[in-house]
Amino acid sequence: MAHADTPLQANTPCSPQDVDAFLNEAETLVARRGLKMTRIRRKVLRLLLESPEPAKAYDLLDNLDGEGSAKPPTIYRALDFLQETGLAHKIESLNAYVACGHASHNHSAVFLICNSCNAAEELHATSTNTALRAETEAAGFTMTRAVIEVRGTCRDCAA
């Protein structure tokens, strides 16, 4: 969950404020790539966008009301699709997912996770991502994406 009073330029809320507008943008982005935003994928993305905190797959499954007999593989396929298209990130240590409002460009996610309140805020660490890409290339490795998790205390809990 991103905090409203973000003092650093690098810290920007990753989740868009206008859910319906972003869902339409996401559908256009997916279609431009020759893919399809199914009803389930759209619903899962909406649930992620509306969630105040990182969402676990089974919590999303419980909230797929009106989607018939959705099973765990259905939700995981939808989450995999959203990650592959850059519309969501998985926070491994929390085994939870967040929507990403920056799908129009390829970026690695850096999450600041508070040990006290479990808030997770995406940090757009441009220089960190540039350095990581350069170092992986120097090692002869082609990086496709990275998720970096930083644990500590958020500004609200530290206050």
Side-chain angles (χ1 to χ4, degrees):
M1 160 168 62
H3 296 288
D5 58 332
T6 308
L8 300 176
Q9 285 248 355
N11 288 344
T12 55
C14 194
S15 224
Q17 301 305 306
D18 187 338
V19 172
D20 291 321
F22 184 74
L23 285 169
N24 291 333
E25 286 177 39
E27 196 141 351
T28 300
L29 178 94
V30 167
R32 204 176 302 134
R33 295 180 182 172
L35 303 170
K36 186 171 176 11
M37 180 67 82
T38 64
R39 188 179 74 235
I40 295 283
R41 291 170 177 169
R42 186 178 174 95
K43 177 70 174 184
V44 170
L45 181 56
R46 175 179 288 281
L47 290 171
L48 288 175
L49 289 164
E50 293 173 345
S51 179
E53 58 193 28
K56 296 189 178 285
Y58 279 87
D59 293 335
L60 294 168
L61 184 62
D62 290 343
N63 290 310
L64 276 181
D65 52 289
E67 297 302 330
S69 58
K71 303 268 189 268
T74 304
I75 197 80
Y76 284 111
R77 279 193 300 270
L79 288 166
D80 286 345
F81 174 84
L82 294 173
Q83 287 178 88
E84 289 166 14
T85 55
L87 294 168
H89 297 297
K90 181 177 183 182
I91 301 176
E92 295 288 340
S93 66
L94 300 177
N95 195 26
Y97 300 83
V98 294
C100 180
H102 300 90
S104 60
H105 66 277
N106 189 14
H107 70 284
S108 296
V110 177
F111 287 101
L112 307 178
I113 304 167
C114 182
N115 291 326
S116 298
C117 69
N118 288 323
E121 180 177 2
E122 187 172 351
L123 175 70
H124 293 274
T126 307
S127 58
T128 301
N129 285 316
T130 301
L132 182 60
R133 186 165 303 280
E135 289 183 22
T136 56
E137 287 174 3
F141 186 81
T142 304
M143 182 178 88
T144 54
R145 70 177 162 216
V147 176
I148 300 168
E149 300 179 22
V150 180
R151 291 212 162 246
T153 305
C154 72
R155 67 184 138 288
D156 289 345
C157 291

